[in-house]
Amino acid sequence: MTSTSVFSALAPYGWDSAWADAFTPYDAEGLLPGRVVRVDRGQCDVVTADGLLRADTAFVTPHDPLRVVCTGDWVAVEPAGSPRYVRTYLPRRTAFVRSTSSKRSEAQILAANVDHAIVAVSLAVELDLGRIERFLALAWESGAQPVVVLTKADLVPDAVTLSHLVQDVETTAPGVPVLTVSATLGDGLDVLTAVVGGGTSVLLGQSGAGKSTLANALLGEDVMEVRAARDVDGKGRHTTTTRNLLALPGGGVLIDTPGLRGVGLWDAETGVGQVFSEIEELAGSCRFHDCAHESEPGCAVLAAIDSGELPVRRLESYRKLMRENQWIVAKTDARLRAEIKKDWKRKGAEGRAAMEAKRGHVR
């Protein structure tokens, strides 16, 4: 098969000249290029110019959880054999990684080579701004452009109320487009279709956020199974159990994911800083470069709290995510772990000393 025919067959899945150049050494070995559309128990489905192939991933290093084959990878596959094997994957442009919900807090890669991370948030339940910030931190850290999609907008018929909800999310997501969509009515789908038409998008969110309904609307057919959310809390069951990559009819590629109950950070300090960019900017004006924004004199962040410029909730959420991320990183870095414990002891002693001084003053 000629390179031209390979290009035309794989272009709908995101193949371009840069990927073709990266694949050149493997082409010389007679291997086939393809994109992973689904991974399941050590095997994966790969779309190639020869069609959809089932391949084993045993050749790819399994010891590092960040180096396993995942949905969205471009891989080199054996042209024949039973079973066929994936020999390697091409260097990833982006990778969406979270910490697992297990006590070991291992890294888990959810999708690779993503251009847009679409965070689906249901308007059927009360907005959880903290969870949105958490998703956005992971999205920014991945290298993708986040987009927040408020689904089930038809359940908020009052335009003023809907506008306030959008404003709340926009304040929570600086620099991130916030779209309202009703997949059942088709409202807002044209804007979202334009966004996802340029590259690969991963669809993220909790169960019940309407991801599968949204995916079907973008695909123009009922490909993903849909179940109704529970009336009591608006949550749904896991209708999508694996990550699936699908070419969209109007251009672009969509990766649908299972609902994520646990969204743990994994070395996402840059992403957290991007989500809370206004706090990072204020911190640059603090008197001390290592200001913790707790009680230090000359703290620009606390001054913004006092003036009402910065909501208290934002600072609390920022602190929470930064502490969580620091702890996750420390689990794999003994020196950093020791420094954190030392810092905690110092702050604890300072707090006790301040309390004793306060008690003495009262007497």
Side-chain angles (χ1 to χ4, degrees), residues 227-289:
R227 294 179 185 172
R230 299 191 300 242
D231 291 334
V232 63
D233 56 10
K235 294 181 180 179
R237 291 168 289 178
H238 291 299
T239 54
T240 302
T241 55
T242 59
R243 286 168 282 282
N244 302 281
L245 183 146
L246 304 156
L248 297 171
V253 177
L254 183 68
I255 299 176
D256 191 19
T257 65
L260 300 177
R261 289 195 181 95
V263 193
L265 301 184
W266 181 265
D267 197 4
E269 183 176 352
T270 301
V272 174
Q274 190 80 30
V275 175
F276 299 92
S277 56
E278 80 277 33
I279 296 179
E280 296 271 297
E281 184 176 351
L282 286 166
S285 299
C286 290
R287 181 183 301 177
F288 304 110
H289 75 277

